[in-house]
Amino acid sequence: MLFRSNAFDRLTDVDSPLRAWQDLGGVSATVNWKLGPGKLTSTTAWRYWTWNPSSDRDFIGLPVTTVSAAPSRQRQWTQEVRYAGDLTRHANFVAGVFYFHQGLDSNPSFKQEQGSAAWRFLLSPSTNAATPGLLEGYGYNQYVHYRNGSAAAFGQVEWTITDWLRILPGLRLNYDTKTVQFGQQVCGGLQTSTAALVTLQQSVLAPQAYNADTSDTNSSGQLTVSLKPAKAVNAYATYATSFKSVGMNLNGVPTDASNQPVLSSATVKPEHVHHFEAGIKSTPLRGVTANLTAYNTDITNLQTQVVNSSVGVLRGYLANAAKVRVRGIEFDGSATLTRRLSIYTNAAYTDGRYVSFADAPPPLEQTGGPSVVDASGTRLPGISKYAVSVGGEVSQPASIAGRQGDAFAAFDTSYRSRFSSSPTESQYMFVQGYTLLNARVGFRTPAGWTVSVWARNLLGTNYFDLLTAAPGSSGLIVGQPGDPRTFGITIRLAVKSR
């Protein structure tokens, strides 16, 4: 994240230490038994993750947020038992059960602390806001205790009815339970009993505490019908339902006009997805493939990460958009024109929109205005309407240092159109479209050796992966620049088994 007139100078401007220390590991065991007409498999796994970060969450060199760290300890274990086998000569199946448990605890607390410049970014100008030391050193300690459990039963059948007709039905039943104990204590800053000054401090960070627990049962499934109307053509259609389990906010929730936590935001409704897809996969000519897919996905209660003007939810929080829709068409094809020349292309059209999001957070340009806006009909973030890629490779017999092989040259180019980078569409938060070119040249031998020199983003295109508005009402927009022009060399040996 940069604070420069030209972000692509790639010079950081921060005044807090940056650290991403972590310790992680795990163990797993898989046991297989031949049982009757199939195989019984049991997989048990346990893993841990200890995370000790430090960030400059205001993204600039001014002392706005001088401490931001969320050290945590996580432990997970999973158990799956599944049985797979043949029902008949034309049908096979897999069925099983799955369990997951996760524990996450602050270690010992999540910390945030404001600096001497915080009042200029986080408070409206006033005599009280300019009180010396009002926010300097003001911060919080958050204590989080979170537990998550999930159990599921699943099954799928693959039935080959004829040589040209195959169906694959599947079903999954899921139960989720989650609990969180959250406490936020504020400390530091100007020690005062003046009500107006305390109100200003707590408009930035306020004490919060809540306990929440929730559980939910969901079912999902799919039905795929696969047809082979001709030797070179496969067609399919899939209808599937899925879900994302009920969510929880673990870093605080927004506050209301009285600076009280909005406890209804502690839990987030589960997503429900209905997806239909149909396509054709074909080889119309020898060495040529052409595939076409059309799809429509409707999501109810989309879980989306939003940021409002409250710095108390600095990392954003989860909320539900009532309904969204994503639909599109995708094509991919390839052709081996000669034994030495091949090309490919992919193209996609995607339309992703909020069908209903009446209580969306306001975009950046409406900071200080309404607390919510109606974003229904606007575009979903992160989705480009158009995306195209083209590539190819040419090779030629060659000899280097007495070794026979193939010299080759290849390229890949891709384009994506502009996309929104804000939960609520904002005129200031669009990432403009861009084109990238990658290339490589090299030499490979029949013995498995490959040496290549490659370039990524060969044309040095300046582009952003994302943009985001910094918390508070300063209007600061920060972004993550995409990878610069990069060169490298790769040496690879593929070992072939005899």
Side-chain angles (χ1 to χ4, degrees):
M1 299 298 181
L2 308 173
F3 186 61
R4 295 280 172 175
S5 58
N6 182 2
F8 300 101
D9 289 340
R10 302 180 188 276
L11 299 174
T12 58
D13 184 19
V14 296
D15 63 336
S16 296
L18 303 180
R19 183 179 65 248
W21 185 92
Q22 55 188 319
D23 177 28
L24 66 163
V27 62
S28 65
T30 300
V31 181
N32 294 300
W33 292 274
K34 179 67 178 176
L35 184 63
K39 181 172 69 174
L40 184 68
T41 301
S42 173
T43 302
T44 305
W46 175 86
R47 65 178 180 175
Y48 71 92
W49 181 35
T50 302
W51 174 234
N52 187 14
S54 176
S55 304
D56 189 333
R57 296 296 297 189
D58 57 51
F59 311 113
I60 58 177
L62 296 177
V64 181
T65 301
T66 55
V67 175
S68 179
S72 64
R73 297 174 68 252
Q74 294 193 42
R75 301 292 184 269
Q76 297 179 359
W77 73 269
T78 58
Q79 175 65 55
E80 181 184 83
V81 178
R82 66 180 184 272
Y83 184 73
D86 295 326
L87 293 171
T88 69
R89 188 164 60 91
H90 300 288
N92 60 72
F93 76 98
V94 60
V97 292
F98 175 81
Y99 182 75
F100 168 84
H101 182 269
Q102 176 189 27
L104 184 154
D105 296 287
S106 52
N107 185 31
S109 67
F110 302 163
K111 294 181 178 294
Q112 180 177 315
E113 187 175 303
Q114 308 309 137
S116 59
W119 70 275
R120 297 182 182 275
F121 282 74
L122 306 178
L123 299 176
S124 298
S126 69
T127 301
N128 283 338
T131 301
L134 180 66
L135 296 181
E136 186 171 2
Y138 185 65
Y140 66 53
N141 286 291
Q142 288 181 350
Y143 301 91
V144 177
H145 178 80
Y146 171 70
R147 295 296 181 267
N148 173 18
S150 179
F154 58 90
Q156 180 172 293
V157 174
E158 181 179 3
W159 181 19
T160 303
I161 300 174
T162 69
D163 290 341
W164 55 271
L165 176 60
R166 186 166 55 101
I167 64 172
L168 292 88
L171 180 66
R172 181 185 179 97
L173 303 175
N174 210 84
Y175 173 76
D176 293 281
T177 178
K178 299 182 179 183
T179 64
V180 63
Q181 299 173 8
F182 176 85
Q184 176 172 294
Q185 302 172 359
V186 296
C187 55
L190 180 67
Q191 301 302 301
T192 179
S193 58
T194 304
L197 298 181
V198 172
T199 298
L200 284 175
Q201 289 178 326
Q202 295 195 356
S203 71
V204 174
L205 298 173
Q208 280 193 23
Y210 58 86
N211 295 336
D213 62 86
T214 186
S215 61
D216 192 55
T217 302
N218 286 284
S219 62
S220 60
Q222 72 161 39
L223 177 62
T224 298
V225 179
S226 177
L227 300 171
K228 192 175 179 64
K231 182 178 180 181
V233 178
N234 289 282
Y236 72 94
T238 295
Y239 175 73
T241 62
S242 60
F243 66 93
K244 181 183 290 186
S245 66
V246 60
M248 280 193 158
N249 279 303
L250 307 183
N251 284 113
V253 295
T255 54
D256 59 21
S258 302
N259 287 328
Q260 297 302 308
V262 181
L263 296 181
S264 60
S265 298
T267 58
V268 185
K269 297 176 183 177
E271 286 183 8
H272 292 278
V273 181
H274 295 266
H275 175 80
F276 177 76
E277 178 179 329
I280 295 176
K281 300 179 182 293
S282 66
T283 53
L285 299 170
R286 183 178 179 182
V288 177
T289 64
N291 306 321
L292 183 66
T293 300
Y295 63 91
N296 184 90
T297 303
D298 293 306
I299 305 175
T300 304
N301 292 323
L302 172 74
Q303 295 177 5
T304 182
Q305 188 85 357
V306 300
V307 176
N308 68 2
S309 59
S310 170
V311 75
V313 284
L314 188 59
R315 293 169 181 79
Y317 62 98
L318 279 176
N320 289 114
K323 186 175 182 180
V324 306
R325 182 191 65 229
V326 181
R327 55 177 54 161
I329 299 174
E330 298 178 353
F331 170 82
D332 67 86
S334 64
T336 302
L337 302 179
T338 70
R339 194 166 67 92
R340 298 291 181 181
L341 177 62
S342 62
I343 59 174
Y344 79 88
T345 184
N346 302 306
Y349 167 81
T350 308
D351 179 48
R353 295 187 177 273
Y354 293 112
V355 176
S356 176
F357 195 8
D359 55 350
L364 182 66
E365 56 266 35
Q366 294 188 33
T367 298
S371 59
V372 297
V373 297
D374 188 351
S376 303
T378 61
R379 281 172 282 193
L380 290 174
I383 295 179
S384 294
K385 181 174 287 189
Y386 304 104
V388 180
S389 61
V390 178
E393 180 177 299
V394 61
S395 64
Q396 182 68 31
S399 175
I400 296 180
R403 292 182 177 271
Q404 298 297 316
D406 290 330
F408 64 88
F411 78 97
D412 307 283
T413 185
S414 62
Y415 164 79
R416 67 178 298 184
S417 59
R418 76 172 193 156
F419 60 92
S420 170
S421 190
S422 172
T424 304
E425 194 172 286
S426 166
Q427 61 178 313
Y428 302 108
M429 301 284 286
F430 275 95
V431 175
Q432 297 305 310
Y434 55 86
T435 300
L436 301 177
L437 175 63
N438 302 327
R440 60 191 179 276
V441 294
F443 180 77
R444 53 179 168 247
T445 71
W449 285 98
T450 301
V451 179
S452 61
V453 178
W454 48 262
R456 298 193 182 102
N457 191 8
L458 181 61
L459 301 180
T461 301
N462 289 331
Y463 67 100
F464 283 101
D465 287 327
L466 60 90
L467 299 174
T468 189
S473 55
S474 67
L476 174 64
I477 299 174
V478 296
Q480 177 63 55
D483 291 338
R485 181 189 292 115
T486 307
F487 298 96
I489 183 170
T490 298
I491 301 174
R492 179 183 296 116
L493 173 62
V495 180
K496 300 179 181 179
S497 59
R498 295 184 181 274

